[in-house]
């Protein structure tokens, strides 16, 4: 029943996610409201980039996690647990560790310089600030170690259940989705409503939680990101030819899905921006807990501040599954078209993820204070950051293959 044929649509979706991430990180500094949460906060800002940010931020990581979950089962079948875990450690954790040690300091130093605290050189910044714990963080590397943790947990579950049980479940799952996709969509929306509503109230939208400053995740999103990873794991147990048959049978629902995406997306983004300072992102419940408040005392705070947050998280919870379904469906529909550039850069996805923020941040620092429309800055930064990241990735991949051949 299982097949080792690679689903090219997953590679394309992942590459598109990474390209969208690069664009999102570029325009982040120019968002009127959300720019202050990025490494660089440019003086040229516009609410238009908040609109784009809210769309991008809603979908990038959940979709990336969803796609990553698909690869676990087939890879586990091929390599089995020990070899699979070792390969995941090499491909995810080693880049994450090296990224925290060498790449994140370059990102953080850009913010350090922009804030005018450039009396310290880079080496002094490393020893006296970054590794001293004052500015230590994981940057984007948290994505790698969270995917690693979920992957090992999923492989452990497969090891316990065994191939036959997993594949019996996958057949039942495919049959239910084929008969009525709402059997999956509605429960996912309900779960999102609960997970986003709870986590956003408990930990606040922009805040991070975890163990120390490195091993942290975004408090308001880590539960729903886990949900989409495991949805990807489940879908990845279904053989490719059955997945494609299911997608083909839902062809007539594409227009309805697009209309739902448009209506809910407008509602979510309009509310999130229009009520940004009026309760949509209230973190009073989170502050109640960090001030030492107890669960038994939290209800009055929730009653006063929770409704604004719940409206936003509910709209987001409806929007997000529709986004994922629509974008996966769209890539599937365009499967036979020429994806030349996307397919060519697909092997460099990890390098694109690791290196683009350095180019983006330092170009944003260079452009800060330059009298130039934000759009022009973005249009300059995106191709340079993309080209630079791909150049380093190609060089690194060639070096890696040469080292393997030498062994």
């Amino acid at each position: 029943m299982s097949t080792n044929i690679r689903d090219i649509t997953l590679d394309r979706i992942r590459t598109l996610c990474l390209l969208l991430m690069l664009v999102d990180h570029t325009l982040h500094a120019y968002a009127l409201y959300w720019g202050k949460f990025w490494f660089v906060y440019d003086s040229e800002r516009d609410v238009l980039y908040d609109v784009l940010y809210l769309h991008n931020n809603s979908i990038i990581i959940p979709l990336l996690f969803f796609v990553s979950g698909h690869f676990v089962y087939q890879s586990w079948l091929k390599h089995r647990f020990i070899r699979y875990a070792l390969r995941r450690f090499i491909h995810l954790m080693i880049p994450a560790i090296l990224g925290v040690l060498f790449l994140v300091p370059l990102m953080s130093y850009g913010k350090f310089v922009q804030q005018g605290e450039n009396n310290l050189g880079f080496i002094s910044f490393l020893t006296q600030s970054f590794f001293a714990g004052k500015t230590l963080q994981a940057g984007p590397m948290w994505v790698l170690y969270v995917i690693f943790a979920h992957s090992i947990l999923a492989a452990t579950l497969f090891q316990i259940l065994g191939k036959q049980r997993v594949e019996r479940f996958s057949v039942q799952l495919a049959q239910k989705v084929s008969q009525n996709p709402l059997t999956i969509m509605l429960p996912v929306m309900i779960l999102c409503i609960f997970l986003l509503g709870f986590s956003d109230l408990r930990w606040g939208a922009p805040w991070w939680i975890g163990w120390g400053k490195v091993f942290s995740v975004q408090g308001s999103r880590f539960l729903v990101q886990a949900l989409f990873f495991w949805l990807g794991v489940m879908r990845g147990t279904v053989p490719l030819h059955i997945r494609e048959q299911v997608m083909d049978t839902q062809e007539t629902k594409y227009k309805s899905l697009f209309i739902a995406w448009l209506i809910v997306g407008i509602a979510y983004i309009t509310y999130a921006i229009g009520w940004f300072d009026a309760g949509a992102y209230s973190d009073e419940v989170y502050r109640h807990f960090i001030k030492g408040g107890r669960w038994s005392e939290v209800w009055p705070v929730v009653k006063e501040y929770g409704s604004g947050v719940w409206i936003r998280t509910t709209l987001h919870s409806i929007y997000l599954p529709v986004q994922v379904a629509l974008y996966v469906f769209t890539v599937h529909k365009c499967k036979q078209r020429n994806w030349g550039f996307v397919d060519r850069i697909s092997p460099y996805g990890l390098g694109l993820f690791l290196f683009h923020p350095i180019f983006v941040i330092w170009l944003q620092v260079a452009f800060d204070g330059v009298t130039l429309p934000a759009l022009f800055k973005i249009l300059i930064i995106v191709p340079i950051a993309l080209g630079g990241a791909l150049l380093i990735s190609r060089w690194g991949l060639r070096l890696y293959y040469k080292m393997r051949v030498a062994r």
Side-chain angles (χ1 to χ4, degrees):
M1 176 179 168
S2 62
T3 175
N4 287 323
I5 300 174
R6 192 171 183 89
D7 187 350
I8 193 172
T9 61
L10 296 177
D11 291 318
R12 289 170 173 174
I13 293 169
R14 182 169 55 186
T15 303
L16 290 173
C17 274
L18 295 172
L19 290 172
L20 187 60
M21 183 182 292
L22 186 155
V23 173
D24 182 66
H25 285 164
T26 302
L27 61 86
H28 201 163
Y30 307 103
L32 183 62
Y33 293 103
W34 282 98
K36 60 184 176 182
F37 297 109
W38 181 238
F39 287 87
V40 180
Y41 189 37
D42 195 273
S43 55
E44 297 288 335
R45 301 184 304 278
D46 195 284
V47 72
L48 168 65
Y49 304 113
D50 287 287
V51 173
L52 298 175
Y53 169 80
L54 283 166
H55 166 273
N56 300 345
N57 186 254
S58 169
I59 189 63
I60 291 173
I61 299 301
L63 187 54
L64 191 61
F65 274 49
F66 179 69
V67 169
S68 299
H70 281 74
F71 296 104
V72 177
Y73 183 64
Q74 289 298 330
S75 188
W76 170 80
L77 277 180
K78 181 178 179 181
H79 302 292
R80 290 303 173 177
F81 185 79
I82 298 299
R83 192 177 173 201
Y84 171 80
L86 180 61
R87 288 171 61 87
R88 290 296 84 198
F89 185 85
I90 292 171
H91 292 158
L92 293 173
M93 286 304 297
I94 289 181
I97 294 167
L98 295 176
V100 170
L101 292 176
F102 299 106
L103 301 181
V104 176
L106 288 171
M107 304 175 202
S108 299
Y109 190 61
K111 180 177 182 178
F112 190 79
V113 169
Q114 192 217 22
Q115 292 175 340
E117 302 173 18
N118 55 356
N119 55 319
L120 289 179
F122 181 64
I123 301 300
S124 298
F125 166 78
L126 282 179
T127 57
Q128 299 178 30
S129 181
F130 190 82
F131 290 123
K134 297 178 182 178
T135 56
L136 180 63
Q137 60 163 297
M141 305 307 153
W142 70 269
V143 173
L144 300 179
Y145 60 69
V146 172
I147 290 178
F148 172 77
H150 285 308
S151 299
I152 297 302
L153 186 57
T156 302
L157 183 62
F158 291 145
Q159 195 75 16
I160 294 170
L161 294 176
K163 180 174 178 287
Q164 290 183 345
R165 288 182 182 176
V166 171
E167 294 189 345
R168 280 201 303 268
F169 165 79
S170 72
V171 170
Q172 296 172 357
L173 176 66
Q175 288 173 345
K176 288 184 178 180
V177 175
S178 180
Q179 292 167 2
N180 185 4
L182 289 179
T183 58
I184 296 296
M185 184 71 77
L186 288 179
V188 169
M189 286 182 180
I190 292 169
L191 274 172
C192 286
I193 288 171
F194 173 76
L195 295 176
L196 282 174
F198 170 78
S199 57
D200 212 305
L201 275 175
R202 174 58 184 86
W203 291 291
W207 308 117
W208 294 73
I209 61 171
W211 303 271
K213 295 183 179 180
V214 175
F215 294 102
S216 297
V217 292
Q218 190 176 9
S220 61
R221 299 287 177 86
F222 76 102
L223 292 174
V224 82
Q225 289 160 0
L227 170 64
F228 278 94
F229 182 90
W230 284 88
L231 288 172
V233 169
M234 289 191 294
R235 188 171 182 267
T237 63
V238 179
L240 175 58
H241 70 281
I242 297 180
R243 294 206 303 261
E244 292 190 333
Q245 286 174 7
V246 171
M247 295 289 286
D248 291 338
T249 60
Q250 306 304 322
E251 185 83 21
T252 58
K253 296 181 174 63
Y254 184 81
K255 184 177 180 180
S256 299
L257 194 62
F258 178 83
I259 293 171
W261 167 83
L262 189 62
I263 293 173
V264 182
I266 291 172
Y268 164 63
I269 294 172
T270 300
Y271 178 79
I273 293 176
W275 281 264
F276 189 94
D277 294 321
Y281 288 95
S282 173
D283 59 0
E284 291 300 323
V285 176
Y286 167 73
R287 295 187 182 279
H288 164 81
F289 287 109
I290 63 174
K291 291 176 182 177
R294 293 176 294 184
W295 281 100
S296 59
E297 304 165 336
V298 76
W299 182 242
V301 185
V302 173
K303 284 176 63 178
E304 184 173 356
Y305 299 102
S307 60
V309 175
W310 273 328
I311 293 172
R312 176 178 57 81
T313 56
T314 299
L315 289 171
H316 188 188
S317 299
I318 300 170
Y319 185 45
L320 177 54
V322 172
Q323 278 184 296
V324 171
L326 180 67
Y327 299 163
V328 172
F329 209 153
T330 301
V331 175
H332 173 78
K333 281 172 66 68
C334 300
K335 181 179 178 180
Q336 302 303 326
R337 297 186 181 182
N338 185 354
W339 288 66
F341 177 72
V342 172
D343 288 340
R344 283 197 299 273
I345 69 172
S346 182
Y348 311 115
L350 179 59
L352 179 59
F353 172 82
L354 291 172
F355 298 116
H356 84 263
I358 298 170
F359 288 95
V360 168
I361 290 167
W362 278 100
L363 287 167
Q364 288 170 338
V365 170
F367 275 127
D368 185 29
V370 175
T371 305
L372 195 66
L375 179 60
F376 286 4
K377 296 179 181 180
I378 293 169
L379 292 176
I380 294 171
I381 292 172
V382 168
I384 295 177
L386 176 59
L390 290 176
L391 190 65
I392 295 175
S393 302
R394 291 182 64 182
W395 175 81
L397 202 59
R398 287 177 181 175
L399 180 63
Y400 172 73
Y401 285 133
K402 285 182 180 178
M403 292 173 63
R404 288 189 64 179
V405 170
R407 290 178 187 175

